Amino acid sequence: MKKAYTLFITIFLITVFSFLAIQILEKKALRSENLTNQVLYIQAKNHLEFLKEYLKDEMSIRKNALDEGGETFELSKTIEIIDEKFTLKAVKSEDEKYYNLYVKAKDYDIALYKKLEIK
């Protein structure tokens, strides 16, 4: 009879500790995934700001060249930059009043959008 209680308590304790271990590992995995997504979101935001500043610089150079009477070039309708982790894309609207800026992560479900007016 003593052996049966010992076996029962042993099985019960192994079950409880296994359940707790699984819960702890799930929380750590979820925390790690959230941290990865947070870092990738910050990187995507930085890429979006880079694309915005790049287009602003190109538009100001074009405007200055026009003011000085020099030669200028027209920005293309679509600009696409492909990185290891991200795809950056700028698409000029049909009425050519603004650019649609897109940043999308390749392997993760992270995508950002911004509208940039052409002045």
Side-chain angles (χ1 to χ4, degrees):
M1 194 63 148
K2 218 177 200 183
K3 289 182 183 180
Y5 286 121
T6 306
L7 182 62
F8 176 72
I9 290 173
T10 305
I11 291 173
F12 178 75
L13 289 175
I14 288 174
T15 305
V16 168
F17 286 131
S18 297
F19 179 74
L20 290 175
I22 289 171
Q23 293 297 320
I24 290 169
L25 291 174
E26 283 179 354
K27 285 181 183 180
K28 282 189 176 190
L30 187 60
R31 189 177 311 134
S32 175
E33 187 175 336
N34 284 342
L35 186 61
T36 301
N37 285 339
Q38 185 179 12
V39 168
L40 287 172
Y41 177 75
I42 292 169
Q43 285 179 341
K45 248 171 67 171
N46 288 339
H47 284 310
L48 190 65
E49 286 300 314
F50 161 76
L51 189 58
K52 184 175 114 182
E53 291 300 319
Y54 172 77
L55 288 172
K56 281 184 177 180
D57 289 344
E58 291 299 323
M59 287 186 286
S60 69
I61 289 171
R62 188 181 74 186
K63 184 178 177 185
N64 289 340
L66 282 174
D67 291 343
E68 294 173 1
E71 290 185 28
T72 183
F73 63 94
E74 186 68 27
L75 288 174
S76 64
K77 289 262 187 202
T78 303
I79 298 171
E80 189 168 13
I81 303 170
I82 299 174
D83 193 346
E84 295 172 1
K85 293 182 181 178
F86 294 95
T87 301
L88 289 73
K89 193 172 186 179
V91 180
K92 194 181 280 188
S93 67
E94 301 221 0
D95 57 359
E96 297 192 1
K97 291 186 178 180
Y98 57 89
Y99 271 101
N100 292 315
L101 309 177
Y102 302 99
V103 176
K104 178 153 179 37
K106 289 182 180 178
D107 298 332
Y108 295 91
D109 193 23
I110 295 174
L112 297 176
Y113 166 78
K114 193 171 211 174
K115 186 186 277 190
L116 178 67
E117 285 189 39
I118 299 174
K119 295 178 184 178

